[in-house]
Amino acid sequence: MKRLIRLLLGLWVTVVAAQAPTDTIVLHQGDFRVTWSHSAKYPVRVVWKLTPDMLDCPAPLKRCDCFKSDPKLPGESALKNDYAGSGYDRGHNFNAADGACQTKEVNERCWYFTNMTPQTPDLNQRTWKELEEQCRKWVREGDELLIKCGSFGCVKKIGANKVWVPKYCWKIIYHKNGVVDAFLMPNTRDVDEHDFFYYHTDITVIRQKTGLKGL
């Protein structure tokens, strides 16, 4: 009986630990909305609509690589030194290319650290990027998307501010025809051994694992 209780307790702790942090604040950034965790120091959820007019304009902005703290949380999001030398990328949630038709001042909001998640280069520069590019491809082909993405879990902490490195990053894509695509990707060095569609899953899996409502 004691062994069974220990086993059940262990399973319960695992499930609770996997869920997204709940100490959050919502930040409205113009094109996108961030639900930021004070403890994890990464977004547990970022939401935006991706439409054709956001991608096609005469003079799209170039990447500024202007990472900076968020004026709404200046001390808490001053995380440049935490990422430096950590081996993890400053991974965009709302990505810069989706806001390239905005003004420079609005576009710079996506470079705030409140929009960043520590991602392995293998995830950020390959598998996650492939999915971002696919979303833009869908929109350029006539679709309009409601996109929700985020992270959960903690495999380690980096820097003096102890920024959590998430175990998983997820993205849910609502197409205008009612189809929903959901992806759950491990934040690992070997994630790019498969293309992004390998990580396609059911939306209920992400709901259960994150504990987030309104997905």
Side-chain angles (χ1 to χ4, degrees):
M1 177 60 73
K2 289 182 178 179
R3 183 178 179 182
L4 177 60
I5 292 174
R6 285 197 299 269
L7 176 61
L8 292 174
L9 181 60
L11 290 172
W12 179 83
V13 169
T14 299
V15 171
V16 171
Q19 292 185 331
T22 58
D23 59 334
T24 57
I25 182 173
V26 177
L27 305 170
H28 295 272
Q29 305 290 24
D31 280 343
F32 61 102
R33 185 176 74 250
V34 172
T35 303
W36 166 259
S37 166
H38 297 293
S39 59
K41 294 182 174 61
Y42 63 58
V44 299
R45 173 166 41 193
V46 178
V47 181
W48 70 99
K49 289 183 178 179
L50 188 59
T51 57
D53 60 294
M54 295 173 68
L55 301 179
D56 297 318
C57 55
L61 296 171
K62 296 181 180 179
R63 282 177 62 94
C64 66
D65 287 328
C66 47
F67 298 94
K68 62 184 71 176
S69 60
D70 190 328
K72 297 185 179 77
L73 297 171
E76 185 174 325
S77 63
L79 304 176
K80 179 179 178 180
N81 292 335
D82 296 87
Y83 280 84
S86 68
Y88 290 92
D89 284 1
R90 297 162 292 192
H92 283 78
N93 286 265
F94 175 82
N95 56 90
D98 287 359
C101 288
Q102 269 288 8
T103 65
K104 179 181 177 182
E105 291 72 24
V106 172
N107 179 263
E108 285 183 356
R109 296 175 191 171
C110 79
W111 296 91
Y112 293 162
F113 277 102
T114 48
N115 184 45
M116 302 297 152
T117 297
Q119 292 181 328
T120 64
D122 315 80
L123 177 60
N124 180 48
Q125 300 175 31
R126 297 183 180 89
T127 319
W128 192 258
K129 182 180 179 181
E130 288 174 5
L131 180 53
E132 290 174 336
E133 291 173 344
Q134 179 62 60
C135 288
R136 287 190 285 274
K137 184 174 184 289
W138 280 325
V139 170
R140 287 193 169 104
E141 291 173 346
D143 206 346
E144 293 186 4
L145 307 177
L146 172 63
I147 301 174
K148 301 180 182 182
C149 72
S151 303
F152 66 92
C154 179
V155 296
K156 64 183 295 186
K157 299 177 183 180
I158 57 173
N161 289 296
K162 301 187 183 303
V163 180
W164 292 17
V165 176
K167 187 173 183 180
Y168 288 97
C169 297
W170 58 269
K171 182 170 285 187
I172 301 171
I173 301 154
Y174 299 83
H175 300 265
K176 70 177 182 180
N177 64 1
V179 172
V180 179
D181 284 306
F183 299 86
L184 182 63
M185 300 182 185
N187 191 21
T188 58
R189 304 287 178 184
D190 59 355
V191 62
D192 60 331
E193 290 183 0
H194 306 283
D195 65 18
F196 75 87
F197 204 79
Y198 175 85
Y199 300 103
H200 195 275
T201 188
D202 191 274
I203 189 173
T204 57
V205 173
I206 296 175
R207 287 171 177 160
Q208 291 168 357
K209 287 185 175 292
T210 64
L212 294 172
K213 297 180 180 179
L215 295 182

